[in-house]
Amino acid sequence: MHIVVCIKQVPDSAQIRVHPVTNTIMRQGVPTIINPFDLFSLEEALRMRDAHGGEVTVLTMGPPMASDSLRKALTFGADRGVLLTDRFFAGSDTLATSFALSAAIQKIGQVYGKPDVIFAGKQTIDGDTAQVGPGIAKRLDLLQLTYVAKIASVDPAAREITVERRAEGGTQMLQTKLPCLVTMLEGSNEIRRGTLNDALRAARAEIITWSAADAGIEDLTKCGLRGSPTVVKRVFAPTARQEKAKILGEPGDSTRDLADGLISEIFTRKPALETALAVENCAA
């Protein structure tokens, strides 16, 4: 099997800064990490390869320093890393990003073999949109399995995959044909520790670097800021609430006493609610 994992190098969320003019994330001088959600996808891809054979290709789009994240992925056991980097990609929103990544995946298929499964994290911690994975699936005309909590089974011979998907109100068991795209939830597995051999191999490995032209992208108007219809009008921190939290009840109070105290506090602050409920009860 050939498995492609899309990862993203993101700023450490504790030290994110926003450009005051462009409203884009400032990455210079901010420590970076692999998007945590993508690590669960990488681990699942490695488990699938270990069970059924094949190769795992890790793909990312970003500045040249994003190669650090690819090398880190190699230390976990990935077979190769591909960096898609070009000044034309600067400022890409999810639409432009999914366009560039889907082109790179097609190129990967031509060079290293068509992917059977494409993995991505549920979302990234810097954008939180959860749109890039489904966007890639749409552009490549792939079936997509999102918010997957567990890979139940994979049958390469029958070209089928069965997963548990978290949904509102419960869990769905879904089965579909390969190839497909899967986005993994957090906590879906336990990230492995890389071996010494993998660490040494990663240190010596050559990161495959492609420009837009290398990836076969001809229409540059669909890349970067020019291909990004999303506009961030303003970025701001929420105003701190002046009112402090109030602790109700005392240690040892019964559940009923706590509930009565909470209801009384709600009616004190929202007297109209108490009146409306009283009228509704009388009508009933």
Side-chain angles (χ1 to χ4, degrees):
M1 298 184 70
H2 185 199
I3 306 163
V4 173
V5 183
C6 297
I7 69 170
K8 184 179 182 182
Q9 181 170 271
V10 296
D12 188 334
S13 58
Q15 303 186 49
I16 285 180
R17 296 178 298 160
V18 178
H19 195 284
V21 177
T22 64
N23 287 323
T24 56
I25 293 175
M26 298 174 61
R27 303 179 186 274
Q28 293 78 11
V30 180
T32 57
I33 58 174
I34 296 178
N35 178 51
F37 294 104
D38 298 341
L39 289 175
F40 296 107
S41 290
L42 176 59
E43 173 61 27
E44 207 61 52
L46 294 172
R47 292 185 183 189
M48 191 177 294
R49 181 206 57 190
D50 294 346
H52 303 286
E55 294 181 328
V56 172
T57 299
V58 183
L59 169 67
T60 192
M61 185 183 84
M65 69 178 184
S67 61
D68 295 340
S69 291
L70 291 173
R71 205 170 295 279
K72 179 67 174 178
L74 294 180
T75 66
F76 289 116
D79 296 284
R80 69 177 61 87
V82 177
L83 171 62
L84 187 61
T85 183
D86 201 305
R87 62 186 179 84
F88 293 109
F89 300 142
S92 295
D93 67 359
T94 56
L95 188 69
T97 299
S98 63
F99 170 76
L101 288 176
S102 61
I105 291 171
Q106 289 179 311
K107 181 69 173 183
I108 288 172
Q110 296 169 6
V111 177
Y112 302 107
K114 188 176 180 180
D116 298 287
V117 183
I118 299 171
F119 277 102
K122 177 189 72 171
Q123 62 194 65
T124 58
I125 61 172
D126 57 350
D128 279 333
T129 63
Q131 294 174 351
V132 171
I136 293 172
K138 176 64 176 179
R139 292 183 183 279
L140 297 180
D141 195 25
L142 294 174
L143 298 167
Q144 57 179 295
L145 300 167
T146 56
Y147 298 95
V148 172
K150 179 182 178 181
I151 305 293
S153 65
V154 179
D155 188 342
R159 306 287 294 166
E160 290 181 344
I161 184 172
T162 304
V163 304
E164 292 183 11
R165 179 183 187 270
R166 189 181 301 169
E168 292 185 11
T171 300
Q172 299 173 334
M173 291 295 296
L174 301 177
Q175 184 181 78
T176 190
K177 291 289 187 180
L178 302 179
C180 68
L181 181 140
V182 178
T183 67
M184 298 296 299
L185 289 174
E186 68 281 6
S188 53
N189 51 45
E190 185 175 347
I191 308 301
R192 67 183 64 191
R193 295 176 64 89
T195 66
L196 177 58
N197 287 338
D198 284 330
L200 294 174
R201 178 177 59 86
R204 298 189 299 264
E206 178 185 357
I207 300 299
I208 301 160
T209 303
W210 288 344
S211 64
D214 295 331
I217 298 175
E218 298 179 355
D219 189 355
L220 296 178
T221 63
K222 295 182 179 180
C223 300
L225 285 173
R226 287 186 295 174
S228 302
T230 304
V231 176
V232 180
K233 183 177 180 181
R234 185 165 64 100
V235 177
F236 61 95
T239 304
R241 295 181 60 178
Q242 299 299 320
E243 184 180 2
K244 295 183 178 180
K246 181 177 181 181
I247 299 176
L248 301 178
E250 299 292 338
D253 284 355
S254 67
T255 304
R256 178 178 291 275
D257 290 338
L258 291 173
D260 289 342
L262 176 60
I263 293 173
S264 177
E265 184 69 22
I266 292 174
F267 286 161
T268 299
R269 298 190 180 201
K270 304 288 184 179
L273 177 61
E274 183 177 14
T275 302
L277 289 174
V279 172
E280 184 177 338
N281 288 335
C282 291

